[in-house]
Amino acid sequence: MTGQADSSTGTESNDGAGGATPLLQLTGIVKQFPGCLANDHVDLAIQPGEIHALLGENGAGKSTLVKIIYGVLKPDEGEIRWQGQPIAVQSPNHARRLGIGMVFQHFSLFEALTVAENIALGLTDAADRKGLRARIGEIGRAYGLQLDPDKAVHDLSVGERQRIEIVRCLLQKPKLLIMDEPTSVLTPQEVERLFETLRRLAREGCAILYISHKLEEIRALCERATIMRLGKVVAHCDPRQETARRLAELMIGTELKAASHHGRGGRDGAPRLAVRELSLKSEQQFGTDLKGVSFTVKGGEILGIGGIAGNGQSELMAALSGEMLAQSSDAVVIDNVPAGRLGPRARRALGGCFVPEERNGHGAVRDMSLSENAFLSGYVRQALAWRGLIDAGRSARFAEDVIKSFDVRTTGSGAEARSLSGGNLQKFIVGREVKQGPSVLVVSQPTWGVDAGAAAAIHQALIDLADGGAAVVVISQDLDEIFVLCDRIAVIAEGRLSQTIPVAEASVEQIGQWMGGTHLRDVGASHASA
Amino acid sequence: MLRLEPRGAHSRWWTYASPVLAMALTVVTSAIIFSILGKDPLESLYVFLVAPLVSSSGLPELFVKAAPLILIGVGLSLGFRANVWNIGAEGQYTLGAVFAGGLALAYPDAPALLLIPAMIVLGCVGGMVWAAIPAYLRTHWNANEILTSLMLTYVAQLLLIYLVTGPWRDPEGYGFPQTALFSMNATAPILVDGTRVHLGVLVALLAGILGWVVLTRSVIGFQLRVLGQAPRAARFAGFSQNRLIWLSLLTGGGLAGVAGMFEVAGPVGQLTPQISPGYGFTAIIVAFLGRLHPIGVIFGGLILALSYLGGETAQIDLGMPNAVTGIFQGVLLFFLLACDVLILYRLRGPRARAAGGA
């Protein structure tokens, strides 16, 4: 492929279809999956050098559309024109040869290999590997994507890992770069750096298709937006001219109900969950050990634990849920009962409920029915077993109750978990835990990959639970979520927890610095809690 | 060109249709093999698959042969559901036979009402002891149970050979490697007069029904299924993986041991080095043919029992080698695995566009 110069005729973005030939034009794209029309006559035009947002709820058909562009899926109907020529993208390889690059939400990197090795593995043409290190350096300097080619990936932050993926794409000199939810794992500082890189690429003529749920980001970055709902394009707009609220309403098609925050500061009374000097060795090869984590949460209070992925969140979750046992039973105390050496079942009996980060295969079993999935974590508190036998009737009723209360869109409690969209399954899992009336609820990434409507419902459920007197812990990488939802905030970095401060007194800048690990210098002060 | 398209979900229909299709293809393939061997394919198929059933002793013999397959297959299917791959049922079967046989030889005159139940228990214990070794190695040292259980099969066989050629050899057996015949009291009671249908057949059928209840209705069965499908979810729910590994292996081993006990206390009547024509391995095919479902295992056991009977009649009537049984079983497993693709994928006819999907 030649450089970007030949496609940079339309650096000024055109608002309409007129003007220069679009770089990519999709007309009437239809994609039918069994039982679901994922794309229903979708039209999309991307001009060279523009940053174009693709916006929509989960299940709106964004991923399907992007996979069609990138050659992973074939459309059933419709036409794709690339630089004016009708084409059929045969495969991701073909897409890359055309000049389409994609950075996926979940990276495909080998942790034990170095940066350069990972990039070399991603190149399809062996000849490209010559002088690779020099070119990694060049691209890094040109676009602010500094990387040490000899560092092993497991030593890198998520932001750095994402840079590898971007560099890998840029080595192919793309004319169109697709970014799938790129900021969900980044610190505010890293987001700002990423945006600079993207703006610079756009100025040089590379078009960017930016997929995100984060409306403020889209307003800050993108010139044009295509909004999808239920497989159809519902609006084209200039996001800079719209409010975030308006964009959200276009996306979900109804008026947004903002989460109503309960009385700030929690209630007086004994802590319902107390963690004292919790240290734990990770079981994962490249996991993060927990080091002296301490915090307390009172009834009626929501504590947010922020941090960049891979800083000990999954270990903390496992230590709280009982999937990993602490060294001493005093390390985790639920309602004044030492629970550090108790397994998940006993902790549930004490009143603990848990929502792990991963839905498929951790919080739920994909190939089992919702009724069975309700039994999975509900059998202790809801008494769904009788003399070693499953009470199928009670399990189904419990599942139906969750489905109804949390507006889970499904055919019923007999449906397999895999048949639900991500957001609906998350609503079911959160609902399953909330409906058990826990005294302590620990939730990890409650709205990861969940659309705005479902996220609002989940937030409201957590707030209602806290208002009812439960202690709630939200482990999230989404700072906006913590600020909206929580009374107090702490940050986990490298397995240590910062001090806990009221959200009202926290600034994004300060939290961002803590996420980078700056609080580690004054560890001594980190065990205080409000 | 035909192409495969992901269904996006399990096809319930094909889950049960796949074994039927696999059997049809196996029959067709067998006919082709027979004709290559110079036999009339239709006559051969009749001799192999139908003649054993229509003979006077046919149906009862089918159940006698199926009993050990069903007993072992039910145990294996529970473990396989939990991704515990006990491949050494053959060895556990042997140890069950040895434990029970030892008791039968030591107390030949004990009353049958005591001796037979005691032999069942001891057979079960024997199988469990042998299965406990891979369970211990897996839970303490994370040693792969596929390898350890398989290797122990050969140890068990050597132990059996040592016993029947050494300390337990029948002193009046003209030096043959075998024990004395078991006493009448140590022989499994016959349930249907004039046949060889013994108590073990009933026990096998009950095991199938009990296994079905355990798997589909009990909390333990649920735990096994969750562990197999999503180990992290099992941990999240508080199900102990080690406990379930022990349970799977002990159940599989125990049932294999009971199968061994009934085989030596029934059709064989003594310990010899040839107490099993590979039941422990064939039961693996039985478990998969039965969809790892204990009721399905009963049908799977009957079908593979037919392949043993058919192999015998084919030897006698057609002069074919005994390997016919092994070939039939192998071809069946081959087609079964191939047809199972249809559970997750559908075949599509020629279309303009090339195959897609990730």
Side-chain angles (χ1 to χ4, degrees), chain B residues 16-29:
Chain B
Y16 299 105
S18 159
V20 177
L21 178 63
M23 278 185 293
L25 290 169
T26 304
V27 168
V28 171
T29 308

Side-chain angles (χ1 to χ4, degrees), chain B residues 36-122:
Chain B
I36 291 171
L37 289 172
K39 315 281 178 190
D40 177 359
L42 284 181
E43 191 206 337
S44 307
L45 281 181
Y46 180 84
V47 168
F48 190 70
L49 296 175
V50 185
L53 295 179
V54 296
S55 75
S56 58
S57 63
L59 221 49
E61 272 306 294
L62 188 71
F63 277 89
V64 171
K65 277 272 188 261
L69 294 173
I70 294 170
L71 273 169
I72 303 170
V74 166
L76 292 185
S77 65
L78 293 177
F80 289 173
R81 286 278 181 151
N83 276 353
V84 177
W85 302 104
N86 176 9
I87 305 299
E90 183 82 358
Q92 293 141 22
Y93 168 99
T94 303
L95 261 284
V98 165
F99 271 48
L103 188 71
L105 295 170
Y107 299 101
D109 300 324
L113 225 53
L114 273 176
L115 189 55
I116 290 295
M119 283 171 70
I120 295 176
V121 169
L122 225 63

Side-chain angles (χ1 to χ4, degrees), chain A residues 358-502:
Chain A
E358 179 63 46
R359 294 186 274 273
N360 291 318
H362 196 181
V365 185
R366 279 164 62 78
D367 291 335
M368 285 191 169
S369 69
L370 293 182
S371 190
E372 287 173 301
N373 272 296
F375 183 88
L376 183 71
S377 82
Y379 67 104
V380 180
R381 297 182 64 78
Q382 302 301 114
L384 301 179
W386 180 78
R387 293 195 177 184
L389 295 178
I390 295 171
D391 189 333
R394 277 185 74 112
S395 302
R397 280 197 296 281
F398 177 50
E400 295 286 356
D401 187 23
V402 171
I403 290 167
K404 223 170 123 194
S405 310
F406 281 78
D407 188 27
V408 179
R409 313 273 166 81
T410 174
T411 51
S413 62
E416 287 181 357
R418 64 184 298 152
S419 69
L420 270 63
S421 73
N424 269 314
L425 184 55
Q426 184 71 5
K427 280 201 280 188
F428 180 80
I429 293 172
V430 172
R432 177 185 71 191
E433 305 302 321
V434 168
K435 275 275 158 188
Q436 295 180 39
S439 53
V440 172
L441 180 70
V442 184
V443 196
S444 184
Q445 299 293 358
T447 57
W448 180 283
V450 164
D451 60 71
I458 288 171
H459 285 168
Q460 191 59 54
L462 297 179
I463 288 169
D464 291 347
L465 187 70
D467 282 347
V472 178
V473 178
V474 176
I475 302 172
S476 177
Q477 289 155 50
D478 184 347
L479 279 185
D480 293 342
E481 173 165 66
I482 290 181
F483 278 97
V484 167
L485 199 58
C486 301
D487 303 299
R488 291 188 300 136
I489 180 170
V491 171
I492 191 166
E494 296 171 33
R496 296 179 199 275
L497 196 71
S498 74
Q499 56 181 314
T500 312
I501 58 170

Side-chain angles (χ1 to χ4, degrees), chain A residues 267-289:
Chain A
R267 303 181 180 173
D268 295 330
R272 304 205 81 164
L273 174 65
V275 175
R276 295 184 199 125
E277 285 296 324
L278 173 66
S279 295
L280 202 59
K281 211 161 161 39
S282 175
E283 291 178 349
Q284 304 293 317
Q285 196 182 355
F286 299 116
T288 307
D289 302 341

Side-chain angles (χ1 to χ4, degrees), chain A residues 209-257:
Chain A
L209 183 59
Y210 188 90
I211 302 159
S212 179
H213 291 121
K214 297 191 180 172
L215 307 170
E216 288 299 343
E217 282 178 2
I218 284 174
R219 293 182 60 237
L221 184 70
C222 303
E223 300 143 26
R224 285 221 294 160
T226 296
I227 300 169
M228 293 184 69
R229 187 165 73 228
L230 299 172
K232 289 181 185 157
V233 172
V234 289
H236 296 282
C237 66
D238 180 346
R240 293 167 301 187
Q241 310 293 324
E242 309 281 349
T243 62
R245 191 187 177 83
R246 173 76 191 134
L247 288 176
E249 282 167 5
L250 282 171
M251 200 166 84
I252 64 174
T254 55
E255 301 250 319
L256 255 191
K257 192 175 147 210

Side-chain angles (χ1 to χ4, degrees), chain A residues 187-188 290-295 303-309 311-313 316 474-477 479 482-483 488-501 503 506-520 526-528:
Chain A
T187 63
L290 296 178
K291 297 166 195 122
V293 170
S294 300
F295 63 87
L303 171 68
I305 296 181
I308 306 162
N311 272 285
Q313 287 97 330
L316 179 60
V474 176
I475 302 172
S476 177
Q477 289 155 50
L479 279 185
I482 290 181
F483 278 97
R488 291 188 300 136
I489 180 170
V491 171
I492 191 166
E494 296 171 33
R496 296 179 199 275
L497 196 71
S498 74
Q499 56 181 314
T500 312
I501 58 170
V503 163
S507 71
V508 173
E509 288 69 31
Q510 183 187 13
I511 299 298
Q513 281 172 0
W514 280 359
M515 285 163 78
T518 43
H519 68 278
L520 298 180
S526 72
H527 309 312

